[in-house]
Amino acid sequence: MRDAAPQTIFLKDYTPFGYIVQDVHLTFKLAPRATRVISRIRFAPNPGADNKTFFLHGEQLDLKWAKINGAQIKPAITPEGLSTDVPEGAFTFECEVEISPETNTALEGLYMSGGMYCTQCEAEGFRKITYYPDRPDVMSTFTVRVEGPHPVLLSNGNPATSGEHFAEWHDPWPKPAYLFALVAGDLIAHPDRFTTMSGKDVELNIYVRKGDEDKCAFGMEALKKSMVWDEKVYGREYDLDIFNIVAVDDFNMGAMENKGLNVFNSSCVLASPETSTDANFERIEAIIAHEYFHNWTGNRITCRDWFQLCLKEGLTVYRDSQFTSDMRSASVKRISDVIDLRGRQFAEDGGPLAHPVRPDRFVEINNFYTATVYEKGAEVIGMLKTLVGDDAYAKALDLYFERHDGDAATIEDWLQVFEDVTGRNLKRFKRWYTSAGTPQLSVKESFKNGRYKLTFRQETPPTPGQPQKKPRVIPIAVGLLDESGAEVLPTQILEMTKRQQSFKWEGLASKPVPSILRGFSAPVILKRYTDDDERAFLLAHDTDPFNRWEAGRELAKSTLLNMIEDGASPDTRYLDGMLAVLRDDALDPATRALMLGLPSQSELAQTLADKGVVPDPQAIYEAVQTLNLAMAQHMQDTLPRIYAQCQVEGPYSPDAEPAGKRELAIATLGLGSRLDGGKAAKDQFASADNMTLQISALAILLRQKVGDTELDQFYAQWKHDRLVMDKWFGLQVGAAVPEDAAYIAEKLTQHPDFDHKNPNRFRATLGALAAHHAGFHHISGRGYTLLADWLITLDPINPQTTARMCAAFQTWKRYDPKRQEMILAEVDRILAQPNLSRDTAEMLSRIRAA
Ligand code: BES
Ligand code: ZN
């Protein structure tokens, strides 16, 4: 049952809960369709709260009995929870409920996956387990008893007593209910140990289903590296006797940081050279680090309410990106992060779903685990660090941990520690948290009598609910080069605080070439009407690796836009520049591979739309094909040489260096295949001894339409490995020509191995369609219809995954009237479904309201 008009929750309405929870005892008697949960919770009045209404969240629970201080009560029950009169002073609340994990397809609360029990409680899933004040500012210690026949019975904290068919766990650290976890099943441990900096011995385990034991080693190494890194860089050590990770196949997200018991989507922890790509390895390392780092930024210090989500997510994404920069290449990581930010966050910020890094309202919090909260939230922290400097950042973080350990904190608390450490006033800076939209930064330059002047102007377009925008504090990293390419001014941080602001340099011998927004020092759109000669110059000479890449990217965009809009031929400056990059042995292979990549077609569509031009997805697709072919022809003589140079000898290693070589090899193979019809790719497919080489060759062959045999071979080889099969599904859609993409996706949804209830398989297939720009937006409208059909099917089963995939429709306003009409017709068709989930209804009505 659901409310007819879902309620909007506002940040300004925050009030503390009337009671504190002193401790919680939970007993689980596991049964697939009739699990019993018995709770004993000690409450006391919260002296900091006026409102003493006693309401406990609870959804889809079958209440058997409830007691206060040992006496049976008859509480009032609604679909949202339970209320009752309570005594003055402290009291004990007890109850027993029955729940049905086996039929829980939403994968929120306690559910089953492949025969094992597991939980997902963030954000508001604990209320599907038992009655509780399910809000992050209510923190308590938990003691949990799990009863079941399974060999492995896990919960948070440290193990206490266990015996045949039961185990007890005690978590000494107060935590909100969203960090609760329970796992039970026939699992195998990959064990290890770690000694913390103060000499404490910690037991580590990665638990997996039988058959996956050989895919744990890499994740375990990543965990230990993360533990060392957090001690060394942030001075944070682990705080329990045991740290467990469990891999599950059915999971809505990537992974979850439950205290001492992280639960991972198996795709984000299991790895082997034969089944995982270099990109998978890198992602697994990052996500293990991310969830581990939450132990301090999220668990020890949590969020007061869900509006503060970026307090833990933005900071933890920032921390995991620092970790990856340290483990691998900092410039490669920065470039990849910016590609991702522009691809996802800029699209969100420029469309109907735009919201501040700290939103001030929501209907369904699950819809706010967004690129804005995560990625822009991390960018804001990066800017803060740039502004205050590394030392002050370190001091502010020490103060944050010291002052707020054990707290449920806010963005105000976070900014306060920076103000206290630096004496700065961050009131203006705070606008990054409260105001949505991506600022556009335009630049004008002038040079006279040795004086060089840059004038910046910032403008943020209106976003839903925020028509007027105040200026932000923008750190602009700038360097100046002379005409020989030598640096006359090393990187300097300009602090822009006004709508328009100028910066001057005196005594220059000649007009310099500016390198602006080095390292992408702020998440803004730089509007600089410079010519392609200057871009080619920066591509050749900029000392800042990010801006060198950026110059190449700008040149690529410029030539592509000329091709799309005016039918121009590929620009030789771009082709020459890329040939020089390809041959530049001083550049590491990974950077060269990144530079050879073209902007995504969706990014090109956005760029056109920003210029007031209606993008034609098919024309964009064709321009990209033409440019790739021209690059291949231009580089024809060099490609085989680089491909040969980039062959990696010896056993497979997922380290950055060999992975970078493979990446460049694959980039040259892809370009070369446009001339040799896939011959070299066939050889690579046949001889590949790792997934990176095997699947990249297959993707190239499919794109050249010569890969049918290899596709079948791949299926025969991997049909028993569900994670590789996800790749098999996604690949075919991704490599399709635009007119085939929806047909292929549709055919795949009829394949016996398609399982729409498994989020990984659903996303592999339909997510790949949504990500295929020209395929999804094909003028037939087939892509829109197919996605809508499946969203309608999935919504009653799994609202969270359905709602997230609705974002595919968020860019509708970019396109021509025909496409707009088709997209809106599908959006309306979904909205008209009876009993649509609150999640999906909110997403689509926000998209629709644009
Ligand atoms: N806390 C989240 C997981 C989560 C998200 C739970 C939404 C419930 C609702 C976790 O720390 C997280 O952020 N995971 C990311 C990966 C991470 C590397 C950014 C994810 O699952 O995608
Ligand atoms: Zn997180």
Side-chain angles (χ1 to χ4, degrees):
M1 232 200 293
R2 192 170 57 74
D3 281 8
Q7 269 197 343
T8 302
I9 320 283
F10 294 92
L11 168 62
K12 64 174 169 48
D13 292 344
Y14 172 82
T15 49
F17 186 51
Y19 300 84
I20 54 171
V21 174
Q22 292 171 319
D23 54 34
V24 183
H25 276 76
L26 299 173
T27 300
F28 287 81
K29 298 174 189 279
L30 296 173
R33 289 186 181 228
T35 290
R36 291 293 177 105
V37 186
I38 301 139
S39 62
R40 189 168 81 243
I41 310 168
R42 292 199 304 136
F43 288 99
N46 178 357
D50 308 326
N51 188 341
K52 291 287 183 289
T53 314
F54 188 76
F55 173 78
L56 302 181
H57 297 105
E59 291 176 11
Q60 298 158 41
L61 306 173
D62 178 6
L63 180 66
K64 299 299 177 188
W65 53 261
K67 293 178 188 169
I68 285 181
N69 290 337
Q72 289 263 2
I73 55 162
K74 284 263 166 286
I77 306 283
T78 69
E80 281 80 42
L82 165 163
S83 21
T84 180
D85 292 334
V86 297
E88 282 194 19
F91 61 94
T92 301
F93 174 90
E94 293 167 276
C95 78
E96 178 165 352
V97 301
E98 188 174 291
I99 52 180
S100 173
E102 193 176 65
T103 54
N104 179 355
T105 57
L107 314 181
E108 198 186 38
L110 179 67
Y111 66 94
M112 297 192 77
S113 170
M116 71 192 267
Y117 290 85
C118 62
T119 53
Q120 172 55 41
C121 293
E122 188 177 3
E124 299 180 335
F126 192 75
R127 62 190 64 182
K128 292 174 154 189
I129 293 177
T130 192
Y131 288 103
Y132 197 76
D134 187 9
R135 38 184 292 169
D137 59 344
V138 174
M139 299 172 82
S140 176
T141 57
F142 282 65
T143 303
V144 178
R145 179 182 167 93
V146 190
E147 296 178 11
H150 318 83
V152 174
L153 302 168
L154 306 172
S155 190
N156 314 91
N158 294 321
T161 10
S162 62
E164 228 195 317
H165 303 326
F166 82 92
E168 285 181 7
W169 292 80
H170 177 68
D171 185 356
W173 299 104
K175 67 167 176 291
Y178 83 84
L179 292 172
F180 168 83
L182 176 153
V183 168
D186 190 358
L187 301 173
I188 301 178
H190 175 99
D192 209 327
R193 306 204 77 84
F194 181 81
T195 308
T196 70
M197 61 184 183
S198 71
K200 254 186 45 168
D201 185 40
V202 183
E203 177 185 337
L204 311 174
N205 293 294
I206 297 181
Y207 282 99
V208 296
R209 281 165 55 192
K210 268 201 192 73
D212 289 336
E213 310 87 281
D214 54 345
K215 292 184 181 170
C216 299
F218 179 79
M220 185 56 86
E221 290 312 308
L223 174 60
K224 289 186 288 180
K225 281 188 204 166
S226 308
M227 296 177 87
V228 170
W229 188 90
D230 214 16
E231 291 183 348
K232 225 177 73 195
V233 180
Y234 280 82
R236 299 291 117 201
E237 88 179 314
Y238 189 60
D239 56 3
L240 290 168
D241 303 338
I242 187 166
F243 187 84
N244 288 322
I245 287 177
V246 180
V248 306
D249 289 341
D250 300 281
F251 201 72
N252 281 332
M253 303 291 292
M256 176 64 207
E257 70 266 24
N258 317 300
K259 184 82 188 189
L261 179 53
N262 286 191
V263 175
F264 273 63
N265 187 318
S266 51
S267 72
C268 293
V269 55
L270 302 180
S272 79
E274 295 72 35
T275 58
S276 313
T277 62
D278 290 333
N280 294 149
F281 277 98
E282 182 175 335
R283 167 126 177 100
I284 288 167
E285 184 177 88
I287 194 160
I288 287 186
H290 178 98
E291 306 312 336
Y292 175 74
F293 296 158
H294 268 314
N295 192 54
W296 275 94
T297 52
N299 301 3
R300 289 286 288 255
I301 305 178
T302 193
C303 302
R304 186 192 71 175
D305 53 67
W306 290 118
F307 297 104
Q308 321 295 330
L309 183 59
C310 65
L311 181 75
K312 74 176 178 83
E313 294 302 348
L315 177 54
T316 305
V317 170
Y318 184 69
R319 274 152 52 71
D320 83 53
S321 71
Q322 287 183 302
F323 169 79
T324 299
S325 304
D326 285 354
M327 295 296 125
R328 292 162 180 265
S329 150
S331 58
V332 167
K333 173 64 173 162
R334 187 63 189 139
I335 294 166
S336 325
D337 280 352
V338 174
I339 292 174
D340 187 56
L341 185 80
R342 285 184 177 148
R344 300 190 305 123
Q345 201 278 325
F346 281 22
E348 187 166 85
D349 232 358
L353 298 176
H355 56 275
V357 170
R358 184 176 70 179
D360 56 11
R361 68 195 62 196
F362 63 75
V363 173
E364 171 52 61
I365 184 56
N366 281 327
N367 289 335
F368 285 83
Y369 286 74
T370 59
T372 297
V373 169
Y374 275 67
E375 270 71 47
K376 191 176 179 181
E379 290 296 320
V380 171
I381 292 174
M383 283 190 286
L384 198 50
K385 182 157 176 275
T386 302
L387 289 170
V388 304
D390 293 354
D391 288 348
Y393 176 81
K395 287 201 185 83
L397 268 104
D398 286 345
L399 180 59
Y400 178 63
F401 292 122
E402 182 189 313
R403 187 181 283 173
H404 293 293
D405 186 12
D407 286 354
T410 61
I411 286 303
E412 282 72 18
D413 294 329
W414 162 254
L415 289 173
Q416 189 65 50
V417 298
F418 281 86
E419 293 197 332
D420 291 352
V421 160
T422 63
R424 269 173 179 259
N425 181 335
L426 293 173
K427 235 179 107 187
R428 273 183 171 226
F429 183 81
K430 192 179 170 186
R431 288 174 190 160
W432 281 107
Y433 284 102
T434 55
S435 176
T438 308
Q440 301 181 349
L441 189 64
S442 49
V443 200
K444 281 202 192 109
E445 56 178 333
S446 72
F447 181 73
K448 217 160 97 191
N449 301 330
R451 171 200 262 202
Y452 181 66
K453 187 165 100 175
L454 285 175
T455 302
F456 296 94
R457 194 180 161 76
Q458 55 166 304
E459 208 94 53
T460 306
T463 55
Q466 295 185 328
Q468 240 93 57
K469 302 288 182 180
K470 291 189 176 142
R472 318 266 178 101
V473 180
I474 303 179
I476 308 170
V478 171
L480 302 179
L481 308 175
D482 70 15
E483 68 268 31
S484 74
E487 203 161 61
V488 289
L489 176 89
T491 306
Q492 180 183 335
I493 306 298
L494 311 177
E495 195 172 326
M496 183 180 190
T497 55
K498 306 196 183 87
R499 207 171 285 282
Q500 181 164 321
Q501 210 166 334
S502 298
F503 299 87
K504 300 182 197 83
W505 293 268
E506 311 275 353
L508 295 171
S510 58
K511 182 172 181 290
V513 177
S515 167
I516 300 172
L517 211 67
R518 284 184 157 180
F520 203 61
S521 58
V524 301
I525 294 169
L526 184 61
K527 288 190 149 179
R528 177 143 188 270
Y529 299 103
T530 171
D531 58 51
D532 287 349
D533 289 327
E534 188 171 312
R535 290 179 176 135
F537 174 86
L538 288 171
L539 171 62
H541 297 294
D542 205 324
T543 50
D544 180 66
F546 176 83
N547 262 9
R548 201 171 163 196
W549 169 82
E550 181 82 321
R553 167 98 359 173
E554 286 296 312
L555 260 186
K557 266 190 174 173
S558 160
T559 188
L560 281 165
L561 296 186
N562 289 333
M563 291 165 71
I564 294 161
E565 289 182 84
D566 308 328
S569 313
D571 192 309
T572 46
R573 272 167 305 203
Y574 179 68
L575 299 176
D576 287 340
M578 284 302 136
L579 181 57
V581 163
L582 182 64
R583 287 176 172 159
D584 186 351
D585 294 332
L587 270 178
D588 66 280
T591 303
R592 279 187 269 170
L594 274 174
M595 293 182 86
L596 290 172
L598 297 178
S600 77
Q601 293 171 41
S602 174
E603 190 182 333
L604 291 166
Q606 185 61 49
T607 307
L608 283 164
D610 287 345
K611 289 176 51 180
V613 180
V614 176
D616 173 357
Q618 184 65 27
I620 295 174
Y621 173 84
E622 283 164 15
V624 167
Q625 303 311 312
T626 306
L627 184 55
N628 268 316
L629 180 61
M631 286 169 78
Q633 285 161 344
H634 201 74
M635 297 170 176
Q636 189 158 14
D637 301 332
T638 313
L639 292 172
R641 178 164 66 79
I642 304 293
Y643 182 72
Q645 269 175 18
C646 289
Q647 295 306 306
V648 183
E649 300 299 324
Y652 175 88
S653 150
D655 288 354
E657 205 221 286
K661 278 180 137 184
R662 279 189 289 270
E663 211 178 337
L664 185 55
I666 291 160
T668 58
L669 186 71
L671 287 169
S673 72
R674 293 171 189 269
L675 304 174
D676 81 352
K679 202 180 147 304
K682 290 226 172 208
D683 293 344
Q684 179 174 307
F685 183 86
S687 65
D689 65 354
N690 62 69
M691 182 52 68
T692 307
L693 294 180
Q694 189 182 18
I695 203 158
S696 59
L698 179 56
I700 290 167
L701 293 172
L702 289 179
R703 200 199 56 222
Q704 293 297 126
K705 295 203 164 216
V706 293
D708 287 353
T709 326
E710 286 78 5
L711 185 66
D712 292 344
Q713 242 173 285
F714 188 90
Y715 180 80
Q717 185 182 352
W718 293 116
K719 58 175 185 284
H720 301 300
D721 188 303
R722 58 212 181 278
L723 295 177
V724 181
M725 285 310 291
D726 289 335
K727 295 178 170 43
W728 184 84
F729 273 83
L731 187 67
Q732 297 176 63
V733 180
V737 293
E739 62 270 28
D740 291 349
Y743 283 102
I744 291 178
E746 185 170 18
K747 229 180 70 202
L748 285 170
T749 60
Q750 291 151 8
H751 192 280
D753 295 328
F754 183 73
D755 172 10
H756 64 282
K757 292 186 176 154
N758 177 263
N760 288 1
R761 193 59 50 90
F762 190 89
R763 277 191 292 254
T765 312
L766 293 144
L769 176 62
H772 189 313
H773 184 256
F776 182 58
H777 293 287
H778 190 263
I779 194 64
S780 63
R782 260 197 109 77
Y784 305 146
T785 308
L786 183 68
L787 182 64
D789 285 345
W790 278 104
L791 294 178
I792 289 169
T793 304
L794 190 64
D795 187 64
I797 296 164
N798 185 335
Q800 210 177 312
T801 291
T802 308
R804 302 196 123 241
M805 290 201 46
C806 290
F809 294 122
Q810 74 177 315
T811 54
W812 64 273
K813 266 209 153 161
R814 279 182 193 162
Y815 300 98
D816 52 276
K818 170 123 201 270
R819 286 187 173 84
Q820 290 196 6
E821 194 184 306
M822 291 192 294
I823 296 174
L824 291 182
E826 296 302 337
V827 167
D828 289 345
R829 181 161 69 93
I830 306 171
L831 275 170
Q833 298 300 309
N835 301 317
L836 198 66
S837 69
R838 179 171 56 177
D839 310 54
T840 301
E842 182 194 19
M843 287 295 279
L844 293 179
S845 49
R846 281 165 66 208
I847 288 172
R848 191 70 174 85

